[in-house]
Amino acid sequence: GETVHLVTFDPPEIVYIDKVESPRAVRMHSRIGSRQPAYCTATGKVFLAHSEDDVVDKVIAAGMPARTSATITTPERLREELALIRRRGYAVDDVENEQDIRCVAAPVHDHGGNVTIAVSISGPATRVTRDRLPELGALLTAATGVVTENLGGTVPRAEDEAAADTHRTG
């Protein structure tokens, strides 16, 4: 019952390429083709969590100004969040990009295990509550896993992600 976005990555931003609007009267406003910063959106953080360090560095260098009082604004805190996303399998925008909007996002992988697109569920924080995030994250990762499989993609194994984390952190 919430808005679903299909998103691509054009560092340092994400680009909305398709969406299904929530049928509810109160919903997130977005436009196909519009851009948002990667560091403070759930979809952007999905891409960053699976990107090489130089891409993350490029996004950080572009600036991380606060968009709300909850926005992550330091490189250290962002890198901690990206490690959590890799472990958990999904990302959260906890009212970080837009006031009163919360989002959950998960990756779609190509045949080489690279993240090619991300899918998000977005809605008012009163409906997309913190308590619902694990449930929505699980539903979304299951759905993006099916999409990955149907497109001939490969989801990296947990040990591959752990090795990538070791490489990213030095």
Side-chain angles (χ1 to χ4, degrees), residues 98-127:
E98 192 173 338
Q99 198 60 45
D100 299 322
I101 298 293
R102 191 170 282 124
C103 306
V104 179
V108 174
H109 300 269
D110 67 11
H111 66 282
N114 301 305
V115 177
T116 54
I117 56 175
V119 180
S120 70
I121 299 170
S122 306
T126 55
R127 292 195 312 253

CSV table of all heavy atoms in Angstrom, one decimal, residues 98-127:
chain,number,residue,atom,x,y,z
A,98,GLU,N,14.0,13.3,3.6
A,98,GLU,CA,12.8,14.2,3.6
A,98,GLU,C,12.0,14.0,4.9
A,98,GLU,O,11.8,12.9,5.4
A,98,GLU,CB,11.9,13.7,2.4
A,98,GLU,CG,10.8,14.6,2.0
A,98,GLU,CD,10.1,14.1,0.8
A,98,GLU,OE1,10.6,13.4,0.0
A,98,GLU,OE2,8.9,14.5,0.6
A,99,GLN,N,11.6,15.1,5.4
A,99,GLN,CA,10.9,15.1,6.7
A,99,GLN,C,9.6,14.2,6.6
A,99,GLN,O,8.9,14.3,5.6
A,99,GLN,CB,10.5,16.5,7.1
A,99,GLN,CG,10.1,16.7,8.5
A,99,GLN,CD,11.3,16.4,9.5
A,99,GLN,OE1,12.4,16.7,9.2
A,99,GLN,NE2,11.0,15.6,10.5
A,100,ASP,N,9.4,13.4,7.6
A,100,ASP,CA,8.2,12.5,7.7
A,100,ASP,C,8.1,11.4,6.7
A,100,ASP,O,7.1,10.8,6.6
A,100,ASP,CB,7.0,13.4,7.8
A,100,ASP,CG,6.9,14.3,8.9
A,100,ASP,OD1,7.4,14.0,10.0
A,100,ASP,OD2,6.5,15.5,8.7
A,101,ILE,N,9.2,11.1,5.9
A,101,ILE,CA,9.2,10.0,5.0
A,101,ILE,C,10.3,9.0,5.4
A,101,ILE,O,11.4,9.4,5.6
A,101,ILE,CB,9.5,10.5,3.5
A,101,ILE,CG1,8.4,11.5,3.1
A,101,ILE,CG2,9.6,9.4,2.6
A,101,ILE,CD1,7.0,10.9,2.9
A,102,ARG,N,9.8,7.8,5.4
A,102,ARG,CA,10.8,6.7,5.7
A,102,ARG,C,10.8,5.7,4.6
A,102,ARG,O,9.7,5.4,4.0
A,102,ARG,CB,10.3,6.0,7.0
A,102,ARG,CG,11.4,5.0,7.6
A,102,ARG,CD,11.0,4.6,9.0
A,102,ARG,NE,11.3,5.6,10.0
A,102,ARG,CZ,10.4,6.1,10.9
A,102,ARG,NH1,9.2,5.7,10.9
A,102,ARG,NH2,10.8,7.0,11.7
A,103,CYS,N,11.9,5.1,4.2
A,103,CYS,CA,12.1,4.2,3.1
A,103,CYS,C,12.9,3.0,3.5
A,103,CYS,O,13.8,3.1,4.3
A,103,CYS,CB,12.7,4.9,1.9
A,103,CYS,SG,12.0,6.5,1.4
A,104,VAL,N,12.6,1.9,2.8
A,104,VAL,CA,13.4,0.7,2.9
A,104,VAL,C,13.8,0.3,1.4
A,104,VAL,O,12.9,0.5,0.5
A,104,VAL,CB,12.6,-0.4,3.5
A,104,VAL,CG1,13.4,-1.7,3.6
A,104,VAL,CG2,12.1,0.0,4.9
A,105,ALA,N,15.0,-0.1,1.2
A,105,ALA,CA,15.5,-0.4,-0.1
A,105,ALA,C,16.3,-1.7,-0.1
A,105,ALA,O,17.0,-2.0,0.8
A,105,ALA,CB,16.2,0.7,-0.8
A,106,ALA,N,16.3,-2.4,-1.3
A,106,ALA,CA,17.1,-3.6,-1.4
A,106,ALA,C,17.6,-3.6,-2.9
A,106,ALA,O,17.1,-3.1,-3.8
A,106,ALA,CB,16.3,-4.9,-1.1
A,107,PRO,N,18.8,-4.3,-3.0
A,107,PRO,CA,19.4,-4.4,-4.4
A,107,PRO,C,18.9,-5.5,-5.3
A,107,PRO,O,18.4,-6.5,-4.8
A,107,PRO,CB,20.9,-4.6,-4.0
A,107,PRO,CG,20.8,-5.5,-2.8
A,107,PRO,CD,19.6,-5.0,-2.0
A,108,VAL,N,19.1,-5.2,-6.6
A,108,VAL,CA,18.9,-6.2,-7.6
A,108,VAL,C,20.3,-6.4,-8.2
A,108,VAL,O,21.0,-5.4,-8.6
A,108,VAL,CB,17.9,-5.8,-8.7
A,108,VAL,CG1,17.9,-6.8,-9.9
A,108,VAL,CG2,16.5,-5.7,-8.1
A,109,HIS,N,20.8,-7.6,-8.3
A,109,HIS,CA,22.2,-7.9,-8.8
A,109,HIS,C,22.2,-8.5,-10.2
A,109,HIS,O,21.2,-9.2,-10.6
A,109,HIS,CB,22.8,-9.0,-7.9
A,109,HIS,CG,22.9,-8.6,-6.4
A,109,HIS,ND1,24.0,-7.9,-5.9
A,109,HIS,CD2,22.0,-8.7,-5.4
A,109,HIS,CE1,23.8,-7.7,-4.6
A,109,HIS,NE2,22.6,-8.2,-4.3
A,110,ASP,N,23.2,-8.2,-10.9
A,110,ASP,CA,23.4,-8.7,-12.3
A,110,ASP,C,24.1,-10.1,-12.2
A,110,ASP,O,24.4,-10.6,-11.1
A,110,ASP,CB,24.1,-7.7,-13.2
A,110,ASP,CG,25.5,-7.5,-12.8
A,110,ASP,OD1,26.1,-8.2,-12.0
A,110,ASP,OD2,26.1,-6.5,-13.4
A,111,HIS,N,24.5,-10.6,-13.3
A,111,HIS,CA,25.1,-12.0,-13.4
A,111,HIS,C,26.5,-12.0,-12.7
A,111,HIS,O,26.9,-13.1,-12.3
A,111,HIS,CB,25.3,-12.4,-14.8
A,111,HIS,CG,26.2,-11.6,-15.6
A,111,HIS,ND1,25.8,-10.3,-16.1
A,111,HIS,CD2,27.5,-11.8,-16.0
A,111,HIS,CE1,26.9,-9.8,-16.7
A,111,HIS,NE2,27.9,-10.6,-16.7
A,112,GLY,N,27.1,-10.8,-12.5
A,112,GLY,CA,28.4,-10.8,-11.8
A,112,GLY,C,28.3,-10.4,-10.4
A,112,GLY,O,29.3,-10.3,-9.7
A,113,GLY,N,27.1,-10.3,-9.9
A,113,GLY,CA,26.8,-10.0,-8.5
A,113,GLY,C,26.8,-8.5,-8.2
A,113,GLY,O,26.7,-8.0,-7.1
A,114,ASN,N,27.0,-7.7,-9.3
A,114,ASN,CA,26.9,-6.2,-9.1
A,114,ASN,C,25.5,-5.7,-8.9
A,114,ASN,O,24.6,-6.2,-9.5
A,114,ASN,CB,27.6,-5.5,-10.3
A,114,ASN,CG,29.0,-6.0,-10.5
A,114,ASN,OD1,29.8,-5.9,-9.6
A,114,ASN,ND2,29.3,-6.5,-11.7
A,115,VAL,N,25.3,-4.6,-8.2
A,115,VAL,CA,24.0,-4.0,-8.0
A,115,VAL,C,23.8,-3.1,-9.2
A,115,VAL,O,24.5,-2.2,-9.5
A,115,VAL,CB,23.9,-3.2,-6.7
A,115,VAL,CG1,22.6,-2.5,-6.6
A,115,VAL,CG2,24.2,-4.1,-5.5
A,116,THR,N,22.7,-3.4,-9.9
A,116,THR,CA,22.4,-2.7,-11.1
A,116,THR,C,21.2,-1.7,-10.9
A,116,THR,O,21.2,-0.7,-11.5
A,116,THR,CB,22.0,-3.6,-12.3
A,116,THR,OG1,21.0,-4.5,-11.8
A,116,THR,CG2,23.2,-4.5,-12.7
A,117,ILE,N,20.3,-2.1,-10.1
A,117,ILE,CA,19.1,-1.3,-9.7
A,117,ILE,C,18.8,-1.6,-8.3
A,117,ILE,O,19.2,-2.6,-7.7
A,117,ILE,CB,17.9,-1.5,-10.6
A,117,ILE,CG1,17.5,-2.9,-10.6
A,117,ILE,CG2,18.1,-1.0,-12.0
A,117,ILE,CD1,16.2,-3.2,-11.4
A,118,ALA,N,18.0,-0.7,-7.7
A,118,ALA,CA,17.5,-0.9,-6.4
A,118,ALA,C,16.0,-0.6,-6.4
A,118,ALA,O,15.5,0.2,-7.2
A,118,ALA,CB,18.2,0.1,-5.4
A,119,VAL,N,15.3,-1.2,-5.4
A,119,VAL,CA,13.9,-1.1,-5.3
A,119,VAL,C,13.6,-0.6,-3.9
A,119,VAL,O,14.2,-1.1,-2.9
A,119,VAL,CB,13.2,-2.4,-5.6
A,119,VAL,CG1,11.6,-2.3,-5.4
A,119,VAL,CG2,13.5,-3.0,-6.9
A,120,SER,N,12.7,0.4,-3.8
A,120,SER,CA,12.4,0.9,-2.4
A,120,SER,C,10.9,0.9,-2.2
A,120,SER,O,10.1,1.0,-3.1
A,120,SER,CB,13.0,2.3,-2.2
A,120,SER,OG,12.3,3.2,-3.0
A,121,ILE,N,10.6,0.8,-0.9
A,121,ILE,CA,9.2,1.1,-0.4
A,121,ILE,C,9.3,2.4,0.4
A,121,ILE,O,10.1,2.4,1.3
A,121,ILE,CB,8.7,-0.1,0.5
A,121,ILE,CG1,8.7,-1.4,-0.3
A,121,ILE,CG2,7.3,0.3,1.1
A,121,ILE,CD1,8.4,-2.6,0.6
A,122,SER,N,8.5,3.4,0.1
A,122,SER,CA,8.5,4.7,0.7
A,122,SER,C,7.1,5.1,1.1
A,122,SER,O,6.2,4.9,0.4
A,122,SER,CB,9.1,5.7,-0.2
A,122,SER,OG,10.3,5.3,-0.8
A,123,GLY,N,7.1,5.7,2.3
A,123,GLY,CA,5.8,6.3,2.7
A,123,GLY,C,5.9,7.1,4.0
A,123,GLY,O,7.0,7.3,4.5
A,124,PRO,N,4.8,7.7,4.4
A,124,PRO,CA,4.8,8.5,5.6
A,124,PRO,C,5.4,7.7,6.8
A,124,PRO,O,5.0,6.5,7.0
A,124,PRO,CB,3.4,8.9,5.8
A,124,PRO,CG,2.7,8.7,4.5
A,124,PRO,CD,3.5,7.6,3.8
A,125,ALA,N,6.1,8.4,7.6
A,125,ALA,CA,6.7,7.7,8.8
A,125,ALA,C,5.7,7.2,9.8
A,125,ALA,O,5.9,6.3,10.5
A,125,ALA,CB,7.7,8.7,9.5
A,126,THR,N,4.5,7.7,9.7
A,126,THR,CA,3.4,7.2,10.5
A,126,THR,C,2.9,5.9,10.1
A,126,THR,O,2.3,5.1,10.9
A,126,THR,CB,2.2,8.2,10.5
A,126,THR,OG1,1.8,8.4,9.2
A,126,THR,CG2,2.5,9.5,11.2
A,127,ARG,N,3.1,5.5,8.8
A,127,ARG,CA,2.7,4.2,8.4
A,127,ARG,C,3.9,3.3,8.2
A,127,ARG,O,3.8,2.1,8.4
A,127,ARG,CB,1.9,4.3,7.0
A,127,ARG,CG,0.6,4.9,7.2
A,127,ARG,CD,-0.3,4.7,5.9
A,127,ARG,NE,0.3,5.0,4.7
A,127,ARG,CZ,0.1,6.1,3.9
A,127,ARG,NH1,-0.8,6.9,4.3
A,127,ARG,NH2,0.7,6.2,2.8
